[in-house]
Amino acid sequence: MASETEVLASVPKQLWIGGPVDATGGGTFAVRNPANGEVLVEVADGSPEDAVRALDAAAAAQGDWAATPARERGEILRAVFERITARAEEFALLMTLEMGKALPESRNEVRYGAEFFRWFSEEAARIHGRYLHAPSGTGRILVHKQPVGPCLAITPWNFPLAMGTRKIGPALAAGCTMIVKPASATPLTMLLLAKLCSEAGLPDGVLSVITSRRSGAITQPLLEDPRLRKLTFTGSTEVGRTLVEKSASGLLRTSMELGGNAPFVVFDDADIDAAVEGAMLAKLRNGGEACTAANRFHVQRGVVEEFTEKFVAAINAQVKLGPGTDPDTTLGPLVDEQQLNTVSELVEDAVTAGASVRVGGKAPGGPGWFYPATVLTDIPPRARILREEVFGPVAPIVAFDTEEEGLAAANDTEFGLVSYIYTRDLDRALRVAEGLESGMVGVNRGVISDPAAPFGGVKASGFGREGGTEGIEEYLSTKYIAMT
């Protein structure tokens, strides 16, 4: 395994526009290690002019890339998958250094993120149209799929690789060029990915990466440019709404994967041990910093104490808080001080309102942005933690009596990304899954993400789907050709 110094040295520190280029004006910004707050490296701080340079490159490359045979596009994506897999340990260490998650979590993300390139390398050759006789008998109907054109992807910090590959894979497979604006907290993984894509034979200009502290300033000239035809964003609902408004003037194709407030519903006929195992995954995967993380635990009253006691016992036995690079660590730090403060405030608000802390509940202090795995009970309905996305390792548990109450409590949110239910009753599982107002449902499973499945939400959690056979459709336009 490469050392931290070697991994950081392998990453381009400039913008990536047909290769490494300096930012206009030569500005840089620091990328910090969440485990100690120290600066890892400085990277280029892109400007609006740099964003336009990237769009110039994307527009220039669009025609040739769209005309590249689908099989060739797929082979390049497959080659990138193989390169990521071959350098999995380097990617994992890099993600842990810039985002904080424990190395086992980073390794899982590398496997998951790489798989989008393999999946869409196969989907590139399966872009289908239709040919049929017009029912009126007046001619023929041809339905043809074409790439939408240059795309802008804005990715979050919590999954530095997978949130990019989930967008880049289908865009490139469809024949689109793409500009990626990664989160300023975690730009290094995306820069390394761009380098690997170039090594795998991706033509210059097809994929650009613009790093910058000023997301709004970077995206504004792109959203106003008629050459850009697609915007895809993963992040908060608040920012998503703003981006949709700004993209409206250009009538851009948009897909939005936004905030979540996932309910984890345990019925009294559930396998409680299995539910606890699923809860550990659904809550603590990625340190709780995931839009799919279970945010509210609704447990039927007859089993709520058993579930709570076993959940707390599992946390005490299995969770080790520490730097992500420590081989014994299972829970790393939060990404930055702001996130630490947000999590702390939500817990303090609940406790002040009367909630009980069963485990955790207080940051340990010292260097780094650490927060322990926490379980809260006796939470009043007015507590913010039941309404807001906590994005940290905190599990609020509330009891319900009937199935109808449990379903109503689960749906009592403006969000609708994912829900989790545990029950042994197949009829109940189907009934509740269909009644849940979310784009995805995990039945007796604590992890639902799969590159072969359509990922996305409803209500304030956004629209559009990523992954599965549906994912590539987000980057294709449908053209109808009428023939006599």
Side-chain angles (χ1 to χ4, degrees), residues 245-420:
E245 291 173 358
K246 290 184 176 181
S247 67
S249 61
L251 297 176
L252 294 180
R253 283 277 295 274
T254 56
S255 51
M256 296 279 146
E257 196 266 282
L258 306 177
N261 191 356
F264 190 102
V265 185
V266 181
F267 291 99
D268 54 11
D269 63 351
D271 180 332
I272 300 303
D273 290 333
V276 169
E277 182 179 351
M280 293 289 289
L281 294 170
K283 179 69 265 182
L284 297 178
R285 175 178 178 244
N286 214 55
E289 294 177 306
C291 54
T292 56
N295 212 59
R296 299 166 289 136
F297 289 78
H298 299 282
V299 185
Q300 204 154 14
R301 198 171 303 278
V303 295
V304 66
E305 191 56 35
E306 178 187 1
F307 174 85
T308 302
E309 289 178 356
K310 289 184 174 181
F311 192 16
V312 169
I315 288 173
N316 286 328
Q318 300 176 32
V319 177
K320 174 67 165 61
L321 185 66
T325 52
D326 187 327
D328 294 328
T329 293
T330 60
L331 179 62
L334 298 173
V335 69
D336 57 26
E337 186 175 12
Q338 179 180 348
Q339 192 60 31
L340 175 62
N341 291 338
T342 298
V343 173
S344 298
E345 287 172 9
L346 288 172
V347 172
E348 289 169 9
D349 173 78
V351 172
T352 300
S356 301
V357 178
R358 302 291 288 266
V359 67
K362 189 174 180 59
W369 301 303
F370 293 93
Y371 199 87
T374 297
V375 173
L376 303 177
T377 57
D378 307 313
I379 303 151
R382 67 182 182 276
R384 290 170 52 199
I385 204 164
L386 297 179
R387 299 287 174 184
E388 301 177 23
E389 188 175 22
V390 66
F391 235 62
V394 181
I397 300 176
V398 293
F400 67 91
D401 291 304
T402 67
E403 179 183 311
E404 292 74 18
E405 286 182 12
L407 180 59
N411 287 336
D412 186 19
T413 174
E414 66 171 324
F415 300 101
L417 185 61
V418 62
S419 303
Y420 304 91

Side-chain angles (χ1 to χ4, degrees), residues 7-25:
V7 167
L8 292 172
S10 71
V11 179
K13 312 303 187 301
Q14 299 161 287
L15 310 176
W16 191 274
I17 307 174
V21 297
D22 290 329
T24 301

Side-chain angles (χ1 to χ4, degrees), residues 127 145-148 174-176 253 472-478:
I127 300 172
K145 297 298 179 82
Q146 293 179 302
V148 299
C176 299
R253 283 277 295 274
I472 201 168
E473 292 293 330
E474 298 288 339
Y475 299 90
L476 293 169
S477 294
T478 299

Side-chain angles (χ1 to χ4, degrees), residues 27-292:
T28 64
F29 66 94
V31 181
R32 295 183 180 275
N33 184 342
N36 53 30
E38 295 177 359
V39 175
L40 292 168
V41 293
E42 297 268 344
V43 299
D45 190 5
S47 68
E49 293 78 11
D50 296 319
V52 174
R53 289 166 64 192
L55 185 54
D56 290 342
Q62 178 60 55
D64 287 344
W65 182 244
T68 301
R71 181 65 71 193
E72 292 183 23
R73 296 198 302 264
E75 290 298 329
I76 291 174
L77 289 175
R78 175 73 189 207
V80 178
F81 161 77
E82 292 171 350
R83 279 168 168 76
I84 296 172
T85 302
R87 299 179 65 175
E89 284 298 307
E90 294 173 56
F91 270 103
L93 179 56
L94 184 61
M95 281 192 289
T96 291
L97 289 173
E98 67 174 339
M99 186 266 165
K101 69 182 74 180
L103 272 172
E105 294 271 10
S106 293
R107 293 184 181 111
N108 287 337
E109 184 182 342
V110 174
R111 286 190 287 269
Y112 175 58
E115 193 63 31
F116 284 105
F117 274 80
R118 176 157 66 173
W119 173 261
F120 286 108
S121 75
E122 298 162 347
E123 290 296 292
R126 300 191 180 101
I127 300 172
H128 300 297
R130 286 186 292 139
Y131 171 87
L132 66 155
H133 292 264
S136 63
T138 57
R140 308 292 189 271
I141 296 172
L142 276 71
V143 179
H144 180 58
K145 297 298 179 82
Q146 293 179 302
V148 299
C151 306
L152 170 63
I154 304 173
T155 59
W157 49 260
N158 57 335
F159 290 95
L161 180 66
M163 297 301 96
T165 59
R166 199 162 72 179
K167 300 176 187 297
I168 297 167
L172 269 53
C176 299
T177 56
M178 178 168 270
I179 302 163
V180 180
K181 165 59 180 74
S184 58
T186 58
L188 304 179
T189 300
M190 194 51 54
L191 287 168
L192 182 57
L193 177 63
K195 178 181 176 183
L196 262 63
C197 287
S198 178
E199 293 173 356
L202 190 69
D204 290 347
V206 175
L207 176 66
S208 296
V209 177
I210 304 297
T211 57
S212 178
R213 290 177 295 184
R214 301 163 293 169
S215 185
I218 292 296
T219 58
Q220 189 65 35
L222 298 178
L223 297 178
E224 295 174 348
D225 195 309
R227 295 175 297 173
L228 188 74
R229 297 312 315 143
K230 162 78 179 183
L231 167 66
T232 175
F233 170 72
T234 297
S236 73
T237 297
E238 180 183 9
V239 174
R241 286 192 174 109
T242 299
L243 288 170
V244 170
E245 291 173 358
K246 290 184 176 181
S247 67
S249 61
L251 297 176
L252 294 180
R253 283 277 295 274
T254 56
S255 51
M256 296 279 146
E257 196 266 282
L258 306 177
N261 191 356
F264 190 102
V265 185
V266 181
F267 291 99
D268 54 11
D269 63 351
D271 180 332
I272 300 303
D273 290 333
V276 169
E277 182 179 351
M280 293 289 289
L281 294 170
K283 179 69 265 182
L284 297 178
R285 175 178 178 244
N286 214 55
E289 294 177 306
C291 54
T292 56

